[in-house]
Protein backbone atom coordinates (compact mmCIF):
# COMPACT_ATOMS: atom_id res chain seq x y z
CA UNK A 1 0.00 0.00 0.00
CA UNK A 2 1.48 3.34 -1.00
CA UNK A 3 1.58 6.17 1.48
CA UNK A 4 -0.11 8.40 -1.12
CA UNK A 5 -3.19 6.19 -1.51
CA UNK A 6 -6.39 7.93 -0.48
CA UNK A 7 -9.71 6.37 0.46
CA UNK A 8 -13.18 7.82 0.53
CA UNK A 9 -13.54 6.57 4.10
CA UNK A 10 -11.33 4.85 6.65
CA UNK A 11 -13.07 2.85 9.35
CA UNK A 12 -11.09 2.16 12.52
CA UNK A 13 -12.17 -1.16 14.04
CA UNK A 14 -13.77 -4.31 12.60
CA UNK A 15 -16.41 -4.86 15.26
CA UNK A 16 -20.20 -4.69 14.75
CA UNK A 17 -20.22 -0.91 14.27
CA UNK A 18 -17.29 -0.76 11.87
CA UNK A 19 -18.36 -3.72 9.75
CA UNK A 20 -21.95 -2.46 9.53
CA UNK A 21 -20.66 0.91 8.33
CA UNK A 22 -18.39 -0.79 5.79
CA UNK A 23 -21.23 -2.96 4.46
CA UNK A 24 -23.47 0.07 3.98
CA UNK A 25 -20.73 2.05 2.24
CA UNK A 26 -19.73 -0.84 -0.01
CA UNK A 27 -23.33 -1.35 -1.13
CA UNK A 28 -23.38 2.32 -2.15
CA UNK A 29 -20.09 2.06 -4.06
CA UNK A 30 -18.12 4.18 -1.58
CA UNK A 31 -14.48 3.10 -1.26
CA UNK A 32 -13.90 2.10 2.35
CA UNK A 33 -10.94 0.57 4.17
CA UNK A 34 -11.47 -1.13 7.54
CA UNK A 35 -8.36 -1.12 9.74
CA UNK A 36 -8.34 -3.82 12.43
CA UNK A 37 -5.58 -4.03 15.02
CA UNK A 38 -6.21 -7.72 15.69
CA UNK A 39 -4.81 -10.59 13.67
CA UNK A 40 -8.33 -11.04 12.33
CA UNK A 41 -11.74 -9.52 13.14
CA UNK A 42 -12.94 -10.93 16.43
CA UNK A 43 -9.51 -11.75 17.83
CA UNK A 44 -9.59 -8.58 19.97
CA UNK A 45 -13.34 -8.15 20.23
CA UNK A 46 -14.94 -9.33 23.45
CA UNK A 47 -18.47 -9.20 24.77
CA UNK A 48 -20.63 -11.35 27.03
CA UNK A 49 -21.94 -13.37 24.16
CA UNK A 50 -25.38 -12.03 23.12
CA UNK A 51 -25.81 -10.45 19.69
CA UNK A 52 -28.97 -8.45 18.96
CA UNK A 53 -29.57 -8.58 15.22
CA UNK A 54 -32.38 -6.28 14.08
CA UNK A 55 -29.90 -4.27 11.99
CA UNK A 56 -27.85 -7.24 10.80
CA UNK A 57 -30.95 -8.92 9.40
CA UNK A 58 -31.56 -5.86 7.21
CA UNK A 59 -28.00 -5.84 5.92
CA UNK A 60 -27.86 -9.62 5.37
CA UNK A 61 -31.40 -11.05 5.38
CA UNK A 62 -31.70 -14.43 7.07
CA UNK A 63 -28.03 -14.29 7.99
CA UNK A 64 -28.53 -17.09 10.53
CA UNK A 65 -28.71 -19.66 7.74
CA UNK A 66 -25.00 -19.16 7.06
CA UNK A 67 -23.51 -17.25 10.00
CA UNK A 68 -21.69 -19.11 12.81
CA UNK A 69 -24.27 -18.20 15.44
CA UNK A 70 -24.54 -20.45 18.50
CA UNK A 71 -28.11 -20.54 19.86
CA UNK A 72 -31.22 -18.37 19.54
CA UNK A 73 -32.39 -17.20 22.95
CA UNK A 74 -35.81 -18.46 24.04
CA UNK A 75 -35.23 -18.35 27.80
CA UNK A 76 -34.45 -15.21 29.80
CA UNK A 77 -33.77 -15.30 33.54
CA UNK A 78 -33.20 -12.35 35.87
CA UNK A 79 -32.21 -13.11 39.43
CA UNK A 80 -30.59 -11.73 42.57
CA UNK A 81 -28.22 -13.67 44.78
CA UNK A 82 -27.67 -13.52 48.50
CA UNK A 83 -24.66 -15.31 49.97
CA UNK A 84 -26.48 -18.64 49.94
CA UNK A 85 -29.69 -18.17 47.98
CA UNK A 86 -31.35 -16.91 44.80
CA UNK A 87 -34.66 -15.27 43.88
CA UNK A 88 -35.49 -15.17 40.18
CA UNK A 89 -37.87 -14.06 37.47
CA UNK A 90 -37.92 -16.66 34.71
CA UNK A 91 -39.37 -16.30 31.22
CA UNK A 92 -39.43 -18.78 28.34
CA UNK A 93 -41.49 -18.94 25.17
CA UNK A 94 -41.49 -21.15 22.09
CA UNK A 95 -42.65 -18.11 20.10
CA UNK A 96 -38.97 -17.19 19.83
CA UNK A 97 -38.32 -20.47 18.01
CA UNK A 98 -39.69 -18.92 14.82
CA UNK A 99 -37.71 -16.67 12.42
CA UNK A 100 -36.32 -14.09 13.06
CA UNK A 101 -35.88 -15.73 16.50
CA UNK A 102 -36.48 -12.48 18.41
CA UNK A 103 -33.24 -11.14 16.87
CA UNK A 104 -31.32 -12.53 19.84
CA UNK A 105 -28.43 -14.99 19.49
CA UNK A 106 -25.53 -16.20 21.53
CA UNK A 107 -22.29 -15.94 19.56
CA UNK A 108 -18.57 -16.42 19.94
CA UNK A 109 -17.11 -13.22 18.60
CA UNK A 110 -13.92 -14.76 17.23
CA UNK A 111 -16.05 -16.88 14.89
CA UNK A 112 -18.86 -14.47 14.18
CA UNK A 113 -16.83 -11.32 13.47
CA UNK A 114 -14.60 -13.23 11.08
CA UNK A 115 -17.65 -14.41 9.14
CA UNK A 116 -19.18 -10.92 9.15
CA UNK A 117 -15.95 -9.43 7.83
CA UNK A 118 -15.90 -11.96 4.98
CA UNK A 119 -19.42 -10.92 3.96
CA UNK A 120 -18.42 -7.26 4.03
CA UNK A 121 -15.30 -7.96 1.95
CA UNK A 122 -17.54 -9.75 -0.52
CA UNK A 123 -19.41 -6.49 -1.01
CA UNK A 124 -16.19 -4.72 -1.99
CA UNK A 125 -14.88 -3.17 1.23
CA UNK A 126 -11.16 -3.51 1.95
CA UNK A 127 -10.20 -5.12 5.26
CA UNK A 128 -6.68 -4.61 6.59
CA UNK A 129 -5.97 -6.70 9.73
CA UNK A 130 -2.94 -6.34 11.99
CA UNK A 131 -2.88 -2.57 11.61
CA UNK A 132 -3.22 -0.31 14.63
CA UNK A 133 -4.19 3.32 14.28
CA UNK A 134 -1.94 5.35 16.57
CA UNK A 135 -3.38 8.79 15.91
CA UNK A 136 -5.57 10.91 13.69
CA UNK A 137 -4.09 13.16 11.04
CA UNK A 138 -5.57 16.60 11.66
CA UNK A 139 -4.87 19.58 9.40
CA UNK A 140 -6.42 23.00 9.97
CA UNK A 141 -8.89 21.47 12.42
CA UNK A 142 -10.05 18.77 9.98
CA UNK A 143 -9.38 15.03 10.19
CA UNK A 144 -7.75 14.01 6.91
CA UNK A 145 -6.60 10.48 7.69
CA UNK A 146 -4.80 8.30 10.21
CA UNK A 147 -1.29 7.30 11.18
CA UNK A 148 -0.76 3.57 11.56
CA UNK A 149 1.58 1.16 13.29
CA UNK A 150 3.74 -0.72 12.56
CA UNK A 151 5.53 1.38 9.99
CA UNK A 152 4.20 4.83 10.74
CA UNK A 153 2.33 5.07 7.43
CA UNK A 154 -0.07 7.93 6.91
CA UNK A 155 -3.31 6.88 5.22
CA UNK A 156 -5.48 9.68 3.93
CA UNK A 157 -9.22 9.87 3.36
CA UNK A 158 -12.17 12.22 3.16
CA UNK A 159 -13.64 11.01 6.43
CA UNK A 160 -12.80 8.67 9.29
CA UNK A 161 -15.41 6.57 11.09
CA UNK A 162 -14.17 5.63 14.54
CA UNK A 163 -15.41 2.22 15.64
CA UNK A 164 -12.39 1.61 17.84
CA UNK A 165 -14.26 0.44 20.92
CA UNK A 166 -14.50 1.53 24.54
CA UNK A 167 -11.00 3.00 24.92
CA UNK A 168 -11.70 5.50 22.10
CA UNK A 169 -8.27 7.14 22.13
CA UNK A 170 -9.00 8.86 18.81
CA UNK A 171 -12.13 10.52 20.18
CA UNK A 172 -10.07 11.83 23.07
CA UNK A 173 -7.28 13.03 20.77
CA UNK A 174 -9.84 14.86 18.64
CA UNK A 175 -11.23 16.57 21.73
CA UNK A 176 -14.69 15.06 21.32
CA UNK A 177 -14.64 13.52 24.77
CA UNK A 178 -12.77 13.87 28.04
CA UNK A 179 -10.72 11.06 29.65
CA UNK A 180 -12.94 8.25 30.93
CA UNK A 181 -14.58 8.64 34.32
CA UNK A 182 -14.25 5.36 36.30
CA UNK A 183 -17.82 5.85 37.57
CA UNK A 184 -19.07 5.55 34.00
CA UNK A 185 -16.85 2.70 32.83
CA UNK A 186 -17.41 -0.96 33.67
CA UNK A 187 -14.80 -3.69 33.65
CA UNK A 188 -16.01 -7.12 32.59
CA UNK A 189 -14.27 -10.47 32.77
CA UNK A 190 -15.54 -13.56 31.00
CA UNK A 191 -14.75 -17.23 30.60
CA UNK A 192 -15.91 -19.61 27.91
CA UNK A 193 -16.37 -23.00 29.56
CA UNK A 194 -16.64 -26.12 27.43
CA UNK A 195 -19.47 -28.61 28.06
CA UNK A 196 -21.00 -31.19 25.74
CA UNK A 197 -24.04 -30.19 23.74
CA UNK A 198 -26.13 -32.84 25.50
CA UNK A 199 -25.00 -31.62 28.92
CA UNK A 200 -26.00 -28.05 28.08
CA UNK A 201 -29.40 -29.02 26.72
CA UNK A 202 -30.15 -31.31 29.66
CA UNK A 203 -28.83 -28.93 32.30
CA UNK A 204 -30.64 -25.86 30.97
CA UNK A 205 -33.75 -27.69 29.67
CA UNK A 206 -33.20 -26.70 26.03
CA UNK A 207 -34.25 -28.30 22.76
CA UNK A 208 -32.09 -28.33 19.63
CA UNK A 209 -30.73 -24.81 18.98
CA UNK A 210 -32.61 -23.08 21.81
CA UNK A 211 -30.51 -21.02 24.20
CA UNK A 212 -30.83 -19.16 27.47
CA UNK A 213 -29.51 -15.91 28.90
CA UNK A 214 -29.10 -15.30 32.63
CA UNK A 215 -28.57 -11.84 34.15
CA UNK A 216 -27.70 -12.07 37.84
CA UNK A 217 -27.37 -9.26 40.39
CA UNK A 218 -26.54 -8.78 44.08
CA UNK A 219 -23.95 -11.18 45.49
CA UNK A 220 -22.96 -12.11 41.92
CA UNK A 221 -20.80 -8.98 42.01
CA UNK A 222 -20.58 -8.58 45.80
CA UNK A 223 -23.40 -6.03 45.79
CA UNK A 224 -21.60 -3.58 43.50
CA UNK A 225 -23.19 -1.73 40.58
CA UNK A 226 -22.99 -4.49 38.01
CA UNK A 227 -24.10 -8.02 37.33
CA UNK A 228 -23.10 -11.52 36.45
CA UNK A 229 -24.14 -13.23 33.23
CA UNK A 230 -24.34 -16.69 31.74
CA UNK A 231 -25.20 -17.51 28.13
CA UNK A 232 -25.40 -20.90 26.48
CA UNK A 233 -23.53 -21.68 23.26
CA UNK A 234 -23.69 -24.91 21.24
CA UNK A 235 -21.07 -26.77 23.27
CA UNK A 236 -19.91 -24.18 25.77
CA UNK A 237 -21.22 -21.47 28.06
CA UNK A 238 -20.08 -17.86 28.35
CA UNK A 239 -20.00 -16.77 31.98
CA UNK A 240 -18.71 -13.57 33.51
CA UNK A 241 -19.22 -10.51 35.66
CA UNK A 242 -19.09 -6.79 35.09
CA UNK A 243 -19.14 -3.80 37.43
CA UNK A 244 -18.10 -0.17 37.36
CA UNK A 245 -14.40 0.48 37.85
CA UNK A 246 -15.32 3.02 40.53
CA UNK A 247 -17.23 0.41 42.56
CA UNK A 248 -14.50 -2.20 42.16
CA UNK A 249 -11.93 0.24 43.47
CA UNK A 250 -14.18 1.48 46.28
CA UNK A 251 -14.72 -2.04 47.59
CA UNK A 252 -11.13 -3.09 46.82
CA UNK A 253 -12.30 -5.95 44.64
CA UNK A 254 -10.37 -7.81 41.98
CA UNK A 255 -12.64 -8.72 39.01
CA UNK A 256 -10.94 -12.10 38.63
CA UNK A 257 -11.65 -12.93 42.27
CA UNK A 258 -15.26 -11.84 41.92
CA UNK A 259 -15.71 -14.11 38.91
CA UNK A 260 -14.24 -17.07 40.77
CA UNK A 261 -16.54 -16.40 43.73
CA UNK A 262 -19.52 -16.10 41.37
CA UNK A 263 -18.77 -19.49 39.78
CA UNK A 264 -18.67 -21.11 43.23
CA UNK A 265 -22.00 -19.70 44.40
CA UNK A 266 -24.51 -22.47 45.25
CA UNK A 267 -26.87 -21.27 42.49
CA UNK A 268 -24.16 -21.15 39.83
CA UNK A 269 -21.74 -23.98 40.64
CA UNK A 270 -24.10 -26.75 39.37
CA UNK A 271 -24.41 -24.95 36.03
CA UNK A 272 -20.66 -24.93 35.34
CA UNK A 273 -19.84 -28.27 36.99
CA UNK A 274 -17.56 -30.52 34.93
CA UNK A 275 -16.69 -27.82 32.42
CA UNK A 276 -13.27 -26.91 31.03
CA UNK A 277 -12.17 -23.30 30.66
CA UNK A 278 -11.47 -22.67 26.98
CA UNK A 279 -11.06 -18.91 26.90
CA UNK A 280 -10.61 -15.99 29.28
CA UNK A 281 -10.96 -12.33 28.40
CA UNK A 282 -11.44 -8.89 29.95
CA UNK A 283 -12.64 -5.61 28.52
CA UNK A 284 -14.16 -2.26 29.36
CA UNK A 285 -17.73 -1.12 28.70
CA UNK A 286 -18.80 2.55 28.51
CA UNK A 287 -21.88 2.97 30.71
CA UNK A 288 -22.23 6.72 30.95
CA UNK A 289 -25.44 6.68 28.93
CA UNK A 290 -27.26 9.58 27.36
CA UNK A 291 -26.04 12.28 29.74
CA UNK A 292 -22.41 11.49 29.02
CA UNK A 293 -22.48 11.04 25.26
CA UNK A 294 -19.56 12.82 23.59
CA UNK A 295 -19.90 15.13 20.63
CA UNK A 296 -20.31 12.63 17.83
CA UNK A 297 -18.76 14.47 14.88
CA UNK A 298 -16.20 17.02 13.77
CA UNK A 299 -14.76 17.96 10.40
CA UNK A 300 -13.83 14.61 8.82
CA UNK A 301 -14.71 12.36 11.79
CA UNK A 302 -17.71 10.36 13.08
CA UNK A 303 -17.89 8.28 16.29
CA UNK A 304 -19.85 5.03 16.44
CA UNK A 305 -20.53 2.13 18.80
CA UNK A 306 -18.61 1.90 22.07
CA UNK A 307 -16.33 4.72 20.93
CA UNK A 308 -19.41 6.95 21.11
CA UNK A 309 -20.58 5.43 24.42
CA UNK A 310 -23.61 3.80 22.81
CA UNK A 311 -24.48 1.18 25.43
CA UNK A 312 -27.87 0.73 27.07
CA UNK A 313 -26.73 -0.14 30.61
CA UNK A 314 -30.23 -0.77 31.93
CA UNK A 315 -31.64 -4.27 32.50
CA UNK A 316 -31.68 -4.68 28.70
CA UNK A 317 -27.86 -4.66 28.51
CA UNK A 318 -27.90 -3.84 24.81
CA UNK A 319 -24.85 -2.74 22.87
CA UNK A 320 -24.40 -4.71 19.66
CA UNK A 321 -27.61 -3.49 18.02
CA UNK A 322 -26.86 0.11 18.99
CA UNK A 323 -23.39 -0.31 17.53
CA UNK A 324 -24.67 -1.73 14.24
CA UNK A 325 -27.34 0.94 13.94
CA UNK A 326 -24.79 3.70 14.54
CA UNK A 327 -22.50 2.16 11.91
CA UNK A 328 -25.26 2.15 9.33
CA UNK A 329 -26.33 5.73 10.14
CA UNK A 330 -22.71 6.93 10.05
CA UNK A 331 -22.28 5.34 6.63
CA UNK A 332 -25.49 6.94 5.36
CA UNK A 333 -24.17 10.29 6.59
CA UNK A 334 -20.88 9.72 4.71
CA UNK A 335 -22.76 8.78 1.53
CA UNK A 336 -24.74 12.02 1.67
CA UNK A 337 -21.58 14.03 2.41
CA UNK A 338 -19.80 12.45 -0.57
CA UNK A 339 -22.67 13.44 -2.85
CA UNK A 340 -22.24 17.03 -1.64
CA UNK A 341 -18.46 16.88 -1.71
CA UNK A 342 -18.49 18.31 1.81
CA UNK A 343 -17.21 16.44 4.88
CA UNK A 344 -17.39 19.36 7.29
CA UNK A 345 -18.95 19.08 10.72
CA UNK A 346 -21.89 21.12 9.47
CA UNK A 347 -22.76 18.27 7.09
CA UNK A 348 -21.65 15.33 9.22
CA UNK A 349 -23.66 16.59 12.21
CA UNK A 350 -26.76 15.25 10.46
CA UNK A 351 -25.55 11.93 11.93
CA UNK A 352 -26.66 13.09 15.37
CA UNK A 353 -30.08 14.00 13.96
CA UNK A 354 -30.38 10.53 12.41
CA UNK A 355 -29.42 8.98 15.73
CA UNK A 356 -32.01 11.09 17.55
CA UNK A 357 -34.71 9.77 15.23
CA UNK A 358 -33.65 6.16 15.73
CA UNK A 359 -34.18 3.80 18.67
CA UNK A 360 -30.54 4.36 19.69
CA UNK A 361 -30.83 7.82 21.24
CA UNK A 362 -34.47 7.33 22.18
CA UNK A 363 -33.58 4.31 24.31
CA UNK A 364 -30.53 5.98 25.84
CA UNK A 365 -32.63 9.01 26.73
CA UNK A 366 -35.34 6.83 28.32
CA UNK A 367 -32.81 5.22 30.68
CA UNK A 368 -30.63 8.28 31.20
CA UNK A 369 -31.25 8.40 34.96
CA UNK A 370 -31.00 4.67 35.68
CA UNK A 371 -27.25 4.31 36.17
CA UNK A 372 -26.99 7.40 38.37
CA UNK A 373 -29.91 6.24 40.51
CA UNK A 374 -28.26 2.87 41.17
CA UNK A 375 -24.92 4.56 41.88
CA UNK A 376 -26.60 6.89 44.37
CA UNK A 377 -28.48 4.06 46.08
CA UNK A 378 -26.02 1.18 46.53
CA UNK A 379 -28.28 -0.44 49.15
CA UNK A 380 -30.59 -1.63 46.36
CA UNK A 381 -28.03 -4.17 45.13
CA UNK A 382 -26.20 -4.63 48.43
CA UNK A 383 -28.96 -4.96 51.04
CA UNK A 384 -32.22 -5.84 49.30
CA UNK A 385 -31.13 -9.25 47.91
CA UNK A 386 -29.88 -10.48 51.29
CA UNK A 387 -32.98 -9.28 53.16
CA UNK A 388 -35.56 -10.44 50.62
CA UNK A 389 -34.05 -13.89 50.16
CA UNK A 390 -33.78 -14.21 53.94
CA UNK A 391 -37.47 -13.35 54.28
CA UNK A 392 -38.42 -15.86 51.59
CA UNK A 393 -36.37 -18.51 53.40
CA UNK A 394 -38.24 -17.78 56.64
CA UNK A 395 -41.60 -17.78 54.87
CA UNK A 396 -41.06 -21.18 53.23
CA UNK A 397 -39.37 -22.88 56.20
CA UNK A 398 -41.55 -25.78 57.32
CA UNK A 399 -42.07 -25.95 61.07
CA UNK A 400 -44.80 -26.42 63.63
CA UNK A 401 -45.43 -22.70 63.82
CA UNK A 402 -48.90 -21.70 62.62
CA UNK A 403 -48.75 -20.05 59.21
CA UNK A 404 -50.36 -16.90 60.60
CA UNK A 405 -47.50 -16.58 63.09
CA UNK A 406 -44.92 -17.17 60.34
CA UNK A 407 -46.45 -14.42 58.20
CA UNK A 408 -46.58 -12.04 61.15
CA UNK A 409 -42.89 -12.66 61.95
CA UNK A 410 -41.86 -12.23 58.32
CA UNK A 411 -43.75 -8.94 57.99
CA UNK A 412 -42.29 -7.69 61.26
CA UNK A 413 -38.77 -8.58 60.12
CA UNK A 414 -39.34 -6.86 56.79
CA UNK A 415 -40.62 -3.74 58.53
CA UNK A 416 -37.56 -3.70 60.79
CA UNK A 417 -34.90 -4.35 58.11
CA UNK A 418 -36.36 -2.40 55.16
CA UNK A 419 -39.70 -0.85 56.02
CA UNK A 420 -42.77 -0.44 53.86
CA UNK A 421 -42.25 3.31 53.41
CA UNK A 422 -38.62 2.84 52.34
CA UNK A 423 -39.62 0.16 49.85
CA UNK A 424 -42.35 2.36 48.37
CA UNK A 425 -39.91 5.27 48.07
CA UNK A 426 -37.23 3.11 46.46
CA UNK A 427 -39.73 1.54 44.07
CA UNK A 428 -41.11 4.92 43.03
CA UNK A 429 -37.65 6.37 42.47
CA UNK A 430 -36.60 3.32 40.47
CA UNK A 431 -39.75 3.62 38.36
CA UNK A 432 -38.94 7.28 37.74
CA UNK A 433 -35.37 6.39 36.75
CA UNK A 434 -36.69 3.91 34.18
CA UNK A 435 -39.18 6.32 32.59
Amino acid sequence: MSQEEKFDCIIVGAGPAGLSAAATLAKAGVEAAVLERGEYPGSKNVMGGILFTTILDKLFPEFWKEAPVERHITHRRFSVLSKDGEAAFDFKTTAFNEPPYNHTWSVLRAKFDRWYAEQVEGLGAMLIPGMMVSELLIENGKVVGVKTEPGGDELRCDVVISAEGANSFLAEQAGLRKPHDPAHMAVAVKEVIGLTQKTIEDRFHLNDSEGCAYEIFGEAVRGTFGSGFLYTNKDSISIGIGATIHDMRRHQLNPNDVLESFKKHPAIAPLVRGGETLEYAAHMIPEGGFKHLPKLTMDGLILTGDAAGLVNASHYHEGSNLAMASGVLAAETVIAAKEKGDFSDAVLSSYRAKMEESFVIKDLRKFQNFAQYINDNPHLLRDYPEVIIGLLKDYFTISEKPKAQVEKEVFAKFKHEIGWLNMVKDSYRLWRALK
Side-chain angles (χ1 to χ4, degrees), residues 79-83 85-87 217-220 223 378-392 418:
S79 69
V80 293
L81 301 182
S82 65
K83 287 182 172 57
E86 179 185 30
F217 305 89
E219 184 61 22
H379 66 283
L380 294 174
L381 297 176
R382 183 191 63 226
D383 301 336
Y384 268 76
E386 204 70 38
V387 172
I388 290 174
I389 292 173
L391 292 173
L392 288 170
I418 292 180

Side-chain angles (χ1 to χ4, degrees), residues 84-96:
D84 60 0
E86 179 185 30
F89 167 77
D90 212 74
F91 173 73
K92 185 175 184 178
T93 175
T94 56
F96 293 162

Side-chain angles (χ1 to χ4, degrees), residues 56-67 99-101 105 115:
L56 180 63
D57 194 29
K58 292 180 180 178
L59 292 172
F60 297 96
E62 298 186 333
F63 67 90
W64 59 82
K65 293 182 177 180
E66 298 180 9
Y101 305 101
W105 300 81
W115 172 87

